[in-house]
Amino acid sequence: MLINIALVVGTFLFMEGVAWFTHKYIMHGFLWSWHRDHHNHHNDFFEMNDLFAVVFAITSIGLIGTGVAFPEVGFLTWIGAGVTLYGFFYFVFHDIIVHRRVKLKVNTSGRYMQRIMRAHYIHHKIHSKEGAEAFGFLYAPEKYDRPVKEKKAETQASQY
Ligand SMILES: [Zn+2]
Ligand SMILES: [Zn+2]
């Protein structure tokens, strides 16, 4: 049981690395044609970029199904569960909280949320294949914390 939980949690953490790598080297690489519309304004609900979510969904279904069908590799089910769990949190963060595709109110006032949101907004400042930064989703380095200056300016502005 413990090992299964470790597999789910480990896969979840590992998936942030996979997502970062995919985003930096594949989406902003040879599959930019799938990702381009996510960086450019349009009025359609669906994007070519959603195909990446489909690929990850098929992967997790494949892993879970294989683990269930073949008990010798039953651990694949737990790895698939980790991929699914990551996909869920990715969707809530990226599609609901940042891009507002589903209008749900979420409390984003915490330092962690502010940091990863700011990192993704900075990622979207660039509309081209080259030159973007901050390719992670659920983790962002400390440098993406809101600068103290900005915070001060805002409190001052709100006093008027
Ligand atoms: Zn991008
Ligand atoms: Zn985005």
Side-chain angles (χ1 to χ4, degrees):
M1 188 61 205
L2 262 181
I3 190 130
N4 294 339
I5 295 171
L7 273 176
V8 175
V9 174
T11 305
F12 181 89
L13 298 174
F14 182 68
M15 280 305 292
E16 172 64 15
V18 172
W20 173 86
F21 181 90
T22 307
H23 191 190
K24 189 173 164 95
Y25 295 106
I26 297 176
M27 299 162 90
H28 283 258
F30 73 98
L31 278 179
W32 169 247
S33 57
W34 286 16
H35 190 51
R36 186 192 294 120
D37 61 0
H38 186 58
H39 276 271
N40 290 282
H41 187 76
H42 60 81
N43 293 317
D44 305 316
F45 183 75
F46 286 107
E47 300 176 339
M48 280 290 278
N49 188 55
D50 295 330
L51 287 174
F52 289 108
V54 173
V55 171
F56 280 109
I58 292 172
T59 307
S60 29
I61 293 166
L63 286 165
I64 293 170
T66 310
V68 170
F70 307 101
E72 324 71 275
V73 287
F75 64 91
L76 289 180
T77 299
W78 301 99
I79 293 179
V83 177
T84 307
L85 195 69
Y86 183 83
F88 173 77
F89 280 97
Y90 164 86
F91 180 78
V92 170
F93 166 67
H94 183 259
D95 291 83
I96 299 182
I97 296 177
V98 176
H99 293 297
R100 315 288 307 138
R101 291 175 96 181
V102 184
K103 309 282 182 241
L104 278 180
K105 268 213 175 102
V106 183
N107 176 10
T108 58
S109 58
R111 182 177 169 196
Y112 166 75
M113 282 306 303
Q114 287 292 318
R115 186 198 285 183
I116 61 174
M117 286 168 73
R118 189 166 175 274
H120 199 65
Y121 290 137
I122 288 171
H123 177 73
H124 273 287
K125 279 191 177 161
I126 302 289
H127 301 281
S128 54
K129 181 179 170 186
E130 313 288 343
E133 58 172 300
F135 293 93
F137 294 101
L138 300 182
Y139 168 77
E142 207 172 334
K143 66 171 176 177
Y144 291 110
D145 268 333
R146 199 145 55 116
V148 182
K149 258 193 301 176
E150 251 177 57
K151 264 188 218 161
K152 250 192 209 150
E154 210 169 80
T155 5
Q156 277 168 354
S158 64
Q159 283 168 351
Y160 295 105

